[in-house]
Amino acid sequence: MHFDNSDLKSENEIYLTWSEKFTLWHNRYFPYSKRKKIILGTASMLLSYFDEVDNWSIIPMSLANKLMKLNPSITYSSFDNPPPQRMIYLLINPYLKPDIQEAIQIFVDEIVSELEKNDGLTVLIKNHEKVQNLIK
């Protein structure tokens, strides 16, 4: 199901800022939304605001999947002009000491493994390289 943004009442929006690109997109497609129900600083607070039927929020699909598992009455719809995708980067110090490279590799492997389990996420490094190759 797709929503037209004019169907959504701005006074029922639970707003979270995801990125500067998201804010630009939001301001373009929701220019009337100067009034929001509340602006949250963290997604962990979101679930408590969905007890009212008309409340809505624009969130990544990965978060929507988790919220729908916690509260089956929550549903989602998509937009014809969706918000920009979020990018998350893994930064590794290029000057790692050799004795911690193996521990960092285990950490990177675990992160990638967990991310690949989430249907709402796309991991760009499918066959992630060894840490030694990442820091060259």
Side-chain angles (χ1 to χ4, degrees):
M1 180 171 152
H2 288 273
F3 259 107
D4 184 85
N5 58 357
S6 62
D7 294 335
L8 299 170
K9 294 180 181 176
S10 62
E11 60 268 15
N12 293 336
E13 182 178 12
I14 311 304
Y15 182 79
L16 285 144
T17 300
W18 297 103
S19 68
E20 190 174 318
K21 287 181 181 180
F22 173 81
T23 301
L24 292 170
W25 174 87
H26 188 276
N27 292 343
R28 178 177 179 194
Y29 290 99
F30 296 90
Y32 58 84
S33 66
K34 300 215 184 310
R35 286 184 323 214
K36 297 169 182 65
K37 180 166 230 154
I38 190 166
I39 298 172
L40 298 179
T42 178
S44 63
M45 299 170 61
L46 194 59
L47 189 60
S48 61
Y49 289 94
F50 281 119
D51 52 354
E52 294 178 37
V53 175
D54 293 333
N55 287 352
W56 61 275
S57 186
I58 301 170
I59 59 175
M61 196 64 222
S62 57
L63 178 56
N65 288 334
K66 288 181 182 180
L67 293 178
M68 289 185 296
K69 285 179 184 174
L70 294 171
N71 182 345
S73 68
I74 293 175
T75 61
Y76 77 93
S77 296
S78 56
F79 291 99
D80 290 330
N81 295 308
Q85 289 188 344
R86 292 186 315 150
M87 298 289 286
I88 300 171
Y89 298 94
L90 173 64
L91 303 177
I92 298 174
N93 183 342
Y95 306 108
L96 288 175
K97 295 177 183 177
D99 58 330
I100 65 166
Q101 284 185 353
E102 183 179 351
I104 297 296
Q105 184 64 54
I106 292 168
F107 177 71
V108 170
D109 291 345
E110 284 296 315
I111 289 174
V112 172
S113 175
E114 287 301 311
L115 293 175
E116 287 176 336
K117 292 177 188 175
N118 193 313
D119 292 336
L121 299 176
T122 301
V123 178
L124 297 179
I125 302 175
K126 292 287 185 191
N127 298 317
H128 53 285
E129 305 152 15
K130 293 291 181 199
V131 170
Q132 294 86 345
N133 295 332
L134 291 173
I135 61 176
K136 288 183 180 180

